[in-house]
């Protein structure tokens, strides 16, 4: 079943999504959260940190698994997703470092890293709630258009459009890694609940295609139509082409 929550703007979207995540933490303090990077979830993490600071949230038993990481970037690189997660969430709450999992982009054997990451998720008992953003081409994690829906954690070649979209964070487009390690769509779809956040007019068209169009690997997010517990929180601009209350 798909639930859609409409938000007025980015701030409202962030607050509504943070509410859903914090409810998950409150009902199951040792839950496994699947976390995402990108600009979209930054406001959610800021809200969770604010509630933690007010003593309304406790991360002591929370476990996390992140979606993806650039191949070749160490955690010390400011553009790595390790760095992002530390900056935006992990260094600001009482989560245990041993409970935090992010695929490594610098393992000597990347194929082994993929298998081990998948094992970690299984050993944790699977993901209770997976947070997702959506790329401008409909990608989720780093599963680019054309990705097979059944894949597990694997290495991908980034689409040119993704390299273009993400170059804003790097000094120069040549610095953007060409490859990434990502949970596959098969991994994501096994999460018990999925929460996607989308904002902005520039994603309105692809969001409409993803949620109301054909389910096709050309729009990776379209698979979410088939997830049994999928929630979207999006702002007015992103929902502007859809008829949603
Ligand atoms: C990256 C991440 C995705 C994210 C996407 C959208 O490619 N791998 O997980 O959803 O960016 O990013 P933004 O939220 O900045 O639009």
């Amino acid at each position: 079943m798909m639930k859609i929550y409409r938000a007025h703007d980015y701030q409202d979207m962030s607050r509504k999504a943070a509410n859903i995540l914090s409810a998950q933490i409150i009902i199951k303090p040792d839950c496994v959260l699947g976390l995402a990077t990108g600009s979209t979830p930054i406001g959610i993490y800021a809200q969770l940190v604010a509630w933690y600071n007010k003593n309304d949230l406790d991360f002591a038993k929370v476990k996390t698994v992140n979606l993806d990481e650039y191949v070749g970037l160490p955690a010390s690189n400011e553009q790595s997703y390790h760095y992002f997660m530390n900056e935006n969430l992990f260094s600001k709450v009482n989560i245990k470092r041993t409970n935090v999992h992010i695929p490594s982009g610098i393992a000597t054997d990347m194929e082994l890293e993929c298998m081990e990451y998948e094992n970690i998720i299984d050993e944790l008992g699977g993901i209770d709630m997976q947070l997702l953003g959506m790329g401008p081409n409909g990608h989720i994690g780093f599963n680019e258009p054309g990705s097979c829906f059944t894949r597990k954690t694997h290495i991908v070649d980034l689409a040119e459009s993704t390299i273009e979209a993400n170059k804003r964070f790097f000094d120069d487009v040549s610095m953007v890694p060409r490859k990434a390690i990502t949970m596959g769509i098969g991994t994501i779809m096994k999460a018990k609940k999925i929460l996607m956040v989308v904002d902005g007019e520039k994603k309105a068209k692809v969001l409409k295609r993803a949620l109301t169009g054909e389910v096709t690997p050309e729009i990776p997010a379209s698979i979410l139509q088939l997830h049994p517990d999928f929630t979207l929180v999006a702002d007015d601009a992103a929902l502007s082409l859809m008829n949603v209350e």
Side-chain angles (χ1 to χ4, degrees):
M1 200 188 77
M2 189 184 336
K3 280 168 279 186
I4 302 181
Y5 293 101
R6 180 190 272 279
H8 317 299
D9 53 20
Y10 179 78
Q11 183 109 30
D12 188 31
M13 175 196 76
S14 303
R15 196 180 159 86
K16 285 188 161 77
N19 254 310
I20 295 170
L21 281 166
S22 63
Q24 172 67 68
I25 298 171
I26 290 162
I27 58 169
K28 188 176 176 192
D30 62 346
C31 64
V32 179
L33 297 180
L35 297 180
T37 54
S39 328
T40 317
I42 290 177
I44 299 176
Y45 296 140
Q47 181 65 75
L48 293 177
V49 170
W51 285 333
Y52 166 76
N53 286 332
K54 282 175 65 192
N55 274 329
D56 285 343
L57 262 187
D58 182 9
F59 289 81
K61 295 183 189 158
V62 172
K63 294 163 235 169
T64 66
V65 284
N66 260 77
L67 279 171
D68 49 10
E69 178 57 286
Y70 287 114
V71 167
L73 299 191
S76 57
N77 186 301
E78 289 184 19
Q79 302 314 330
S80 73
Y81 288 165
H82 279 74
Y83 194 95
F84 174 101
M85 289 309 302
N86 261 330
E87 277 291 296
N88 288 290
L89 185 66
F90 299 148
S91 65
K92 299 184 169 156
V93 297
N94 65 332
I95 195 157
K96 287 204 185 77
R97 289 300 154 142
T98 45
N99 285 338
V100 163
H101 306 277
I102 308 179
S104 170
I106 53 163
T108 28
D109 185 340
M110 288 302 292
E111 290 304 324
L112 185 64
E113 175 67 17
C114 292
M115 274 163 44
E116 285 180 353
Y117 199 67
E118 208 58 45
N119 287 339
I120 289 172
I121 298 171
D122 287 345
E123 279 162 20
L124 289 171
I127 299 165
D128 289 301
M129 182 176 282
Q130 176 65 54
L131 176 64
L132 293 177
M134 183 182 67
N137 59 3
H139 76 222
I140 48 178
F142 266 135
N143 294 281
E144 298 285 20
S147 305
C148 173
F149 283 151
T150 55
R151 293 217 60 181
K152 297 197 165 166
T153 301
H154 63 293
I155 308 294
V156 290
D157 291 313
L158 298 181
E160 273 311 316
S161 63
T162 299
I163 293 169
E164 270 301 303
N166 290 355
K167 75 172 184 201
R168 64 188 194 277
F169 301 111
F170 293 82
D171 291 340
D172 182 273
V173 68
S174 68
M175 311 278 280
V176 187
R178 317 306 274 188
K179 286 181 189 290
I181 175 169
T182 184
M183 279 186 203
I185 291 178
T187 324
I188 294 170
M189 286 296 280
K190 274 196 302 187
K192 295 176 190 93
K193 296 174 208 144
I194 295 184
L195 170 63
M196 185 162 82
V197 282
V198 182
D199 75 305
E201 202 192 327
K202 62 182 191 308
K203 289 183 185 165
K205 211 167 154 188
V206 66
L207 182 63
K208 182 181 180 189
R209 260 193 88 181
L211 297 190
T212 64
E214 180 196 1
V215 175
T216 164
E218 287 318 306
I219 308 284
S222 66
I223 189 72
L224 300 170
Q225 291 182 36
L226 304 182
H227 194 277
D229 193 335
F230 170 59
T231 302
L232 170 75
V233 183
D235 70 350
D236 286 331
L239 289 171
S240 57
L241 299 176
M242 287 169 66
N243 292 323
V244 180
E245 290 285 298

